[in-house]
Amino acid sequence: MKHRWTFSILMAGALLVGTSCSTDREALGPTPAPEMSLSASPSVDTQIHRLIPQLFPGVLTRAAVFIAHEYIEWLYKKGKTALAQQKTLELVAFAFQRYANHQLIGDQSAATQAKLRSFVDLSFQLVGLGSAPIPPDALGPDGAVAIVGPTGGQVVTQSQLAGAQFPPGALPQNVIVTITRVTSEGNPLPTNLQQFPLFYEFKTFPEVAEFGELVTVGVCVLDAVVEDAEVPFGNLRVAHPLHSDPSAIEILPLADQGFIDQGSCDEAFGARQGFMNNLAGAGKSVAQDLFWVMMGAPKDLSATGSRRRLMPGGLGGRTGSFSTFGAVNFTGEFVPYQEQGYRYLIDATPPAGFQQPNFDASTWFSGSGAFGSGGAPCTFLESTIHTSWPAAGESPTEILLRKRFSGSAQNVQIHVPVDNDVQVFVNGVDITSTGGTVGEDGFLPHENCADPNSPFVFSVQNSSLLAGGNLVVVRARDRGSVSYVDVKVTGQLPEE
């Protein structure tokens, strides 16, 4: 038995290497076996056996995949789970490579995509990795799927409109990386900041919550949409929901990326056509070059220069986690007034540790700023109120607000218009005293209506900020008549 498996292993390795560069002649090999329905009743192993001749052309390739699959199953049954899972990822990577090279039966048709997704999913189930559902669009022309491991690598959509570059050490193990276009209507990022397509969802399987090294992501931004909004291209930054709190966004500092194709972005999504328009575009580009040189940019304005990082089309940033990415108009506000995604608690004795980042506020209510009661004499604020906070009656009433903001932040200030009093914490540290004279009860007092144009301003030391995301907690108190509180977080992004 030992000699038979040794021979099979050597044969599988030789065949997989030999067939990775197979010609189109092999792709026209023997007629594949008739397709069989994949019902729920056959075993996982049986379903994989049925799929192999439906996906892989050529006798040698098919035999190599069969042998590799049998070896993986044998390893798993012998209790060598880690090795079986490693070999499974290698086999899946081989299948992805054949798909990308148009070397599967049916090429890249919808039917082939469905079979390939099933093959991957079943192969993962076989060795205890759980279900590995590959999004259908990841195999489409505006998607990507690949295996990337600890040594790093690059994954780019076939359209070259989105991608990711993994440095060595970013991943702890081999994983499947998928990129799919977000096509649903509306803005997918959980923020009131202006946001601009295109949007892409990046995933890993098994999921990696935090990368060991920052990963560069890039997305195509539609010039026409940005121009219509009259937003300076220098304001654009890549952003995505925080992994630790999907109701908040991470705004990424600019990063060079070379895998977004500006020409493909323009051509695919309605760039200007015709000689005169192209001439006008060239003139505009020259004018922008001159502007950047006058502003002190290096004269080499190549694709890796500072100007290129700021141009719509290919916009890059570095991130510690994956989710949905797109561009936002960053003018120095990490959290604008009237932002969504707050956790809040009204008229309650503050629970112990409410200001700490690890406090569990999942049972609190969700709402958007501003919070207040409305009413005279502060009726001018009513249009900004999105969540009710009843005013005090015979005794004061309090509200607690928790909101996470970007980890890529420095020189942060917290702006709080309030009626009446407030305490502010960042990452558990009380910073109330940076905004004025604090009373014996720990609050900074305020009289009369709140004024968003003249709020309390609290400063945060850079040493108190955390790379993985920050938490601002506001405790506000109303002493009667009208209640109101809102929050704005401003600051800067670090230079690359």
Side-chain angles (χ1 to χ4, degrees):
M1 175 66 80
K2 179 178 180 181
H3 294 296
R4 183 174 72 84
W5 275 112
T6 300
F7 172 77
S8 298
I9 294 167
L10 293 174
M11 180 179 178
L15 289 175
L16 282 174
V17 172
T19 55
S20 63
C21 299
S22 63
T23 64
D24 291 337
R25 181 179 300 174
E26 183 192 351
L28 301 175
T31 303
E35 297 185 10
M36 301 182 186
S37 173
L38 297 179
S39 66
S41 54
S43 67
V44 170
D45 178 61
T46 299
Q47 294 181 66
I48 293 174
H49 273 262
R50 291 177 178 179
L51 280 169
I52 291 173
Q54 296 180 28
L55 280 171
F56 299 94
V59 174
L60 293 179
T61 302
R62 201 173 299 154
V65 175
F66 266 119
I67 293 171
H69 164 68
E70 291 297 317
Y71 176 49
I72 289 168
E73 187 178 23
W74 177 80
L75 287 172
Y76 189 68
K77 289 180 178 178
K78 290 293 184 179
K80 301 179 180 182
T81 304
L83 183 57
Q85 292 175 348
Q86 175 187 331
K87 295 300 178 183
T88 296
L89 284 163
E90 292 175 3
L91 180 58
V92 168
F94 173 75
F96 287 156
Q97 180 189 45
R98 302 289 288 193
Y99 174 82
N101 293 336
H102 303 272
Q103 293 175 321
L104 294 182
I105 295 172
D107 198 1
Q108 295 184 355
S109 66
T112 299
Q113 293 176 12
K115 294 171 187 173
L116 179 57
R117 294 198 306 272
S118 294
F119 176 78
V120 174
D121 191 34
L122 292 166
S123 296
F124 270 58
Q125 291 181 40
L126 184 70
V127 295
L129 285 171
S131 180
I134 305 299
D137 290 345
L139 295 169
D142 201 11
V145 59
I147 301 288
V148 183
T151 58
Q154 181 173 285
V155 182
V156 183
T157 62
Q158 294 185 56
S159 62
Q160 294 185 304
L161 301 181
Q165 177 71 50
F166 295 83
L171 297 170
Q173 63 188 59
N174 288 338
V175 299
I176 296 178
V177 177
T178 62
I179 305 175
T180 54
R181 171 93 174 275
V182 178
T183 57
S184 57
E185 294 184 3
N187 294 327
L189 303 182
T191 178
N192 290 333
L193 296 175
Q194 283 180 290
Q195 47 191 290
F196 303 94
L198 302 171
F199 302 102
Y200 286 86
E201 185 174 28
F202 293 62
K203 287 184 175 182
T204 62
F205 184 88
E207 182 185 13
V208 178
E210 292 290 336
F211 301 129
E213 299 288 341
L214 294 180
V215 173
T216 300
V217 297
V219 294
C220 170
V221 182
L222 301 188
D223 292 27
V225 177
V226 176
E227 291 172 359
D228 288 347
E230 298 182 349
V231 172
F233 61 77
N235 287 3
L236 297 181
R237 297 293 184 273
V238 177
H240 72 119
L242 278 167
H243 185 273
S244 59
D245 184 358
S247 67
I249 65 166
E250 172 87 2
I251 301 174
L252 306 180
L254 289 170
D256 290 333
Q257 52 73 36
F259 40 77
I260 303 302
D261 186 81
Q262 175 70 54
S264 297
C265 183
D266 289 343
E267 292 173 8
F269 299 98
R272 299 180 181 89
Q273 300 294 323
F275 173 77
M276 292 305 296
N277 283 327
N278 288 334
L279 183 62
K284 179 180 178 182
S285 178
V286 171
Q288 289 171 339
D289 286 348
L290 292 173
F291 170 79
W292 279 99
V293 171
M294 291 170 63
M295 293 300 292
K299 292 183 179 180
D300 178 15
L301 297 175
S302 63
T304 58
S306 59
R307 173 183 171 272
R308 183 63 184 88
R309 292 204 306 272
L310 290 171
M311 283 295 291
L315 191 67
R318 287 195 173 92
T319 180
S321 62
F322 273 175
S323 54
T324 298
F325 292 83
V328 298
N329 177 20
F330 179 68
T331 59
E333 295 184 3
F334 291 103
V335 178
Y337 285 138
Q338 303 177 53
E339 181 65 305
Q340 56 186 283
Y342 283 89
R343 288 287 184 177
Y344 72 96
L345 191 63
I346 292 177
D347 197 22
T349 301
F354 70 92
Q355 75 276 33
Q356 298 299 328
N358 59 357
F359 178 82
D360 183 7
S362 60
T363 59
W364 291 17
F365 296 105
S366 298
S368 299
F371 300 78
S373 62
C378 307
T379 54
F380 66 94
L381 294 171
E382 288 182 350
S383 63
T384 68
I385 295 174
H386 292 87
T387 305
S388 175
W389 171 28
E394 295 181 357
S395 59
T397 182
E398 292 187 8
I399 186 170
L400 299 176
L401 306 178
R402 288 172 60 96
K403 176 66 180 172
R404 295 192 183 273
F405 63 95
S406 185
S408 302
Q410 59 186 18
N411 302 327
V412 168
Q413 291 186 318
I414 313 296
H415 307 248
V416 184
V418 64
D419 186 352
N420 292 103
D421 312 325
V422 68
Q423 278 185 305
V424 178
F425 306 82
V426 172
N427 297 328
V429 177
D430 189 339
I431 63 169
T432 310
S433 62
T434 66
T437 303
V438 178
E440 293 182 359
D441 55 3
F443 283 92
L444 189 60
H446 177 269
E447 304 299 334
N448 303 317
C449 296
D451 185 356
N453 295 316
S454 184
F456 285 127
V457 180
F458 307 89
S459 299
V460 185
Q461 294 183 354
N462 287 340
S463 59
S464 298
L465 298 171
L466 305 176
N470 296 285
L471 174 72
V472 57
V473 176
V474 171
R475 180 185 180 188
R477 178 175 63 189
D478 176 59
R479 291 185 264 109
S481 183
V482 177
S483 62
Y484 188 91
V485 65
D486 203 357
V487 178
K488 179 172 69 174
V489 179
T490 63
Q492 298 172 332
L493 290 167
E495 295 295 330
E496 185 183 42

